[in-house]
Amino acid sequence: GALERIVNNAIRDVLMIVAVVASMIYIDWQLSLIALAVFPIAIWPIASIGRSLRKLGRQTQASIGGVSARLLEGLASIKIAKTYQLEDRLNERSREDLENLRDLQIRAGDRQALIDPMMEVLGGIVIIGVLFFVGWRLESGQNTLGDFAGFITALLLAGQPLRALGNLAGYVQRGLAATQRIFQVLDEPAKVVSRPGAGELAVSRGDVTFDAATFSYEGDTRPALDHVSLTVPGGNRLALVGRSGAGKSTLFNLIPRLFDPTTGRVLIDGQDIAQVTLESLRANIALVTQDSILFNDTVGANIAIGTREGRADQVPQEAIERAARAAAAHGFIEALPKDYDTEIGVGGDRLSGGQRQRLSIARAFLRDAPILLLDEATSALDAEAEAQVRVALERLSRGRTTIVIAHRLSTIMDADQIAVLDRGQLVEIGRHDELLERDGVYASLFRLQFQDVLEAPGAAE
């Protein structure tokens, strides 16, 4: 809005003021000096109002962000809100946010409204001063009535564009506050970037090594990871196990450099991933998460989005179908109205949970990366869908270095290694049978999950 006002009004008003002031000087330069001497007085109050408007503008932008976040949160949690009868509470919280926003806008409007009366008062002072001076000069015969009339006419003509510029200054300050907020977000530096002189990651075996990796979240006194060291040989499958908050996700997220370790290193085939480009690192990683991230596009586009091309029309159709077959997804895709050209809705809401997950797996198949990250990839599925997805994941894991986060221990008992984390520390590592024999943290977790089975009649026979 401020930019539109500047483009539409400022140039016109400035040109008009220049022309009128030139006419005033031409008619009587002494009267012009008297008239123009008053206007610098207006700079201080207008600047003061402008600073206030800019501060209110920043607060308003922050309030708008809060209102937007609150509305999105309410829409995302609509099922919970209705089931737990939270409508009144959410409405009250939204009302408070909206009232705060309204108050800020009213305060900004009140300050903006001060500019017009102030300009009118200053204009009146100018006219009174000119009248006194002209009256004195008319008595002494130094001016004619025609000169006086022409000067007053020019002065009155200058009033409207001057008032407009005064108001424009207020709008510009509010616009600058909004612009500052936008650029504050746009200019926020990325915390994880490719370092100067970083080389390309060359993956041969696919060994992944954590070398005394430590990480602390900002504001936390206790590290989320505390000097974790372990190696996953290329082509092996490592399962990360532990109670909630043990540090599994933190360790997992160090591999694609979603953040860097506070101290220590992560290496792939002996190369410190902090010393290679992000593009080459992430090009060698495929990810399948618990929440299948799908886009409001076609089935084919969602499978192809993980490739370097990133578009279905740039990836051979047979490659997309081959990935879908490998992920056990081709069958249900063919049953869709337009098979691979079917729009799947926002977040894939036109598909079942198992179907969405198999599309995510097909995306990973098509990416064909040597390192595979699986984050609770079957935990949200029913038994039938889980069985189908597990077969697809086993097929996907073959020949790849696979790191899995799992809460259900039944899904990772055949892993090559199981790393048990507790309070950010690596407390156990080994195969399933070895860890049960040690009777440590893993055995305790296993007994908790399989207590009913272990206590069933005949279970020990």
Side-chain angles (χ1 to χ4, degrees):
L3 183 60
E4 183 181 357
R5 286 173 183 269
I6 291 172
V7 172
N8 292 340
N9 301 337
I11 297 174
R12 179 197 65 194
D13 291 334
V14 168
L15 290 176
M16 186 171 180
I17 290 171
V18 169
V20 170
V21 169
S23 300
M24 290 166 57
I25 294 172
Y26 176 77
I27 294 170
D28 192 320
W29 66 270
Q30 290 178 321
L31 282 177
S32 299
L33 289 178
I34 292 173
L36 296 175
V38 178
F39 285 101
I41 301 173
I43 293 176
W44 180 80
I46 290 177
S48 178
I49 292 172
R51 286 192 296 271
S52 177
L53 286 171
R54 190 165 184 174
K55 181 180 178 181
L56 285 170
R58 288 195 294 267
Q59 294 174 346
T60 299
Q61 293 304 313
S63 180
I64 290 172
V67 169
S68 300
R70 187 79 73 193
L71 291 174
L72 289 173
E73 180 184 64
L75 290 172
S77 60
I78 194 166
K79 292 181 181 179
I80 294 295
K82 286 182 176 295
T83 303
Y84 284 88
Q85 298 177 312
L86 301 175
E87 294 96 327
D88 291 341
R89 187 183 303 178
L90 293 176
N91 284 338
E92 182 61 29
R93 292 171 65 185
S94 298
R95 188 181 299 111
E96 290 174 0
D97 290 340
L98 290 169
E99 286 178 353
N100 178 57
L101 177 59
R102 183 196 62 185
D103 290 343
L104 288 169
Q105 291 177 329
I106 288 174
R107 288 166 59 191
D110 288 343
R111 282 162 175 73
Q112 183 77 42
L114 291 174
I115 295 176
D116 259 346
M118 185 181 65
M119 296 297 290
E120 292 288 351
V121 170
L122 289 171
I125 293 171
V126 170
I127 292 174
I128 291 171
V130 168
L131 286 173
F132 272 110
F133 189 69
V134 168
W136 173 77
R137 294 181 68 177
L138 285 173
E139 272 191 23
S140 62
Q142 296 180 36
N143 276 104
T144 66
L145 194 59
D147 292 337
F148 169 66
F151 187 86
I152 290 297
T153 301
L155 185 61
L156 293 174
L157 285 173
Q160 190 278 330
L162 282 169
R163 286 194 299 273
L165 285 180
N167 278 307
L168 181 64
Y171 286 113
V172 167
Q173 290 299 327
R174 294 166 73 176
L176 285 174
T179 304
Q180 183 181 15
R181 176 77 175 178
I182 292 170
F183 281 103
Q184 187 178 19
V185 175
L186 294 177
D187 294 339
E188 180 72 22
K191 293 182 179 179
V192 177
V193 296
S194 297
R195 298 181 181 178
E200 297 291 308
L201 176 66
V203 178
S204 52
R205 287 171 45 85
D207 297 345
V208 177
T209 300
F210 297 92
D211 180 16
T214 299
F215 182 82
S216 297
Y217 289 100
E218 188 174 349
D220 285 356
T221 55
R222 183 175 65 83
L225 289 176
D226 189 4
H227 293 84
V228 174
S229 295
L230 65 92
T231 296
V232 188
N236 279 19
R237 187 180 184 212
L238 170 76
L240 298 175
V241 174
R243 300 178 178 90
S244 295
K248 304 183 297 296
S249 295
T250 304
L251 189 69
F252 188 84
N253 290 332
L254 292 179
I255 301 169
R257 284 192 70 196
L258 299 184
F259 37 72
D260 287 328
T262 309
T263 61
R265 300 181 300 166
V266 180
L267 303 99
I268 295 178
D269 284 338
Q271 302 159 82
D272 186 346
I273 64 173
Q275 304 300 329
V276 301
T277 63
L278 278 176
E279 292 78 9
S280 64
L281 169 65
R282 292 172 180 172
N284 285 286
I285 296 172
L287 173 67
V288 181
T289 63
Q290 174 182 351
D291 300 317
S292 305
I293 308 301
L294 300 177
F295 301 91
N296 188 13
D297 208 331
T298 65
V299 169
N302 272 281
I303 295 174
I305 205 167
T307 62
R308 186 175 296 274
E309 294 81 4
R311 290 175 52 180
D313 58 358
Q314 295 179 349
V315 178
Q317 181 65 24
E318 57 269 22
I320 294 175
E321 292 186 11
R322 188 163 55 248
R325 291 180 191 278
H330 183 71
F332 84 79
I333 293 173
E334 279 193 316
L336 295 174
K338 296 182 180 179
D339 53 74
Y340 287 87
D341 293 323
T342 302
E343 298 277 345
I344 61 173
V346 178
D349 60 4
R350 297 175 189 169
L351 303 177
S352 69
Q355 290 171 337
R356 289 197 297 269
Q357 196 64 296
R358 278 177 279 167
L359 284 191
S360 295
I361 296 169
R363 180 191 297 163
F365 264 113
L366 189 59
R367 189 170 179 81
D368 195 26
I371 297 171
L372 175 63
L373 305 180
L374 304 177
D375 184 4
E376 294 285 353
T378 63
S379 64
L381 304 178
D382 59 46
E384 182 179 358
E386 180 184 356
Q388 295 172 326
V389 168
R390 284 185 66 179
V391 170
L393 287 174
E394 287 172 6
R395 190 180 299 123
L396 176 61
S397 301
R398 290 173 193 159
R400 307 179 200 274
T401 306
T402 305
I403 298 176
V404 185
I405 292 178
H407 284 124
R408 285 194 283 188
L409 303 185
S410 60
T411 63
I412 48 89
M413 288 192 294
D414 60 346
D416 297 300
Q417 294 183 85
I418 298 173
V420 184
L421 297 173
D422 189 37
R423 296 179 178 273
Q425 295 183 329
L426 179 64
V427 293
E428 294 177 338
I429 187 166
R431 295 182 64 87
H432 170 72
D433 293 337
E434 297 170 353
L435 294 176
L436 286 182
E437 289 178 7
R438 293 179 195 173
D439 198 24
V441 176
Y442 180 82
S444 175
L445 292 172
F446 185 82
R447 283 194 295 269
L448 283 173
Q449 289 194 18
F450 293 92
Q451 186 173 12
D452 293 340
V453 177
L454 294 172
E455 293 179 354
E461 295 179 4

